[in-house]
Amino acid sequence: MSEPTRIAAPGGVAAASQYSHVVMGTGRFVAIAGQLPLDEHGALVGEGDPAAQARQVFENLRRCLAAAGTTFDDVVKLTFFVTDMAHMPAIRTARAEHIPDDRLPAASAVQVAALVRPEFLMEIEAFAVVGA
């Protein structure tokens, strides 16, 4: 499996501490729909608790990646949809349990007015490229 190439800061672009600006890979593309803080039975995990919700969302992402025959090692892009940017530290902590700082994918964080249900504090989607 070929390792994705990460460019933390291309020439002329300010370095970012929480993501890589460019991630390139060749192979099979995997898109994981935005995951919510629901357990395997569809019950909310962590009502009002961004840390618990983030842990559950990353566990759901891990399971989805496994179903696609891959892991967080092949994730090239994450998009964080949050109802409050104050939830980002909890998301970064949960992400660090799965992705080390030297393998950060490209990422975007977007604050939204609402998600599909008011008790959801976040939704996270992932794109992966599984090596040829």
Side-chain angles (χ1 to χ4, degrees), residues 28-116:
R28 182 172 48 95
F29 178 75
V30 177
I32 306 294
Q35 294 298 298
L36 297 163
L38 298 172
D39 68 14
E40 62 271 17
H41 305 291
L44 174 68
V45 172
E47 185 164 0
D49 182 347
Q53 288 198 16
R55 285 190 302 273
Q56 182 64 46
V57 169
F58 272 90
E59 176 58 18
N60 292 346
L61 288 168
R62 186 195 65 74
R63 290 175 179 169
C64 290
L65 289 163
T70 191
T71 68
F72 281 102
D73 288 345
D74 294 320
V75 170
V76 296
K77 173 76 164 79
L78 292 170
T79 305
F80 309 108
F81 301 97
V82 294
T83 57
D84 188 331
M85 283 295 174
H87 304 322
M88 289 306 299
I91 289 171
R92 289 184 191 112
T93 298
R95 181 192 63 196
E97 294 173 12
H98 299 277
I99 304 171
D101 285 347
D102 65 342
R103 298 180 55 82
L104 292 174
S108 298
V110 181
Q111 183 169 327
V112 296
L115 293 166
V116 68

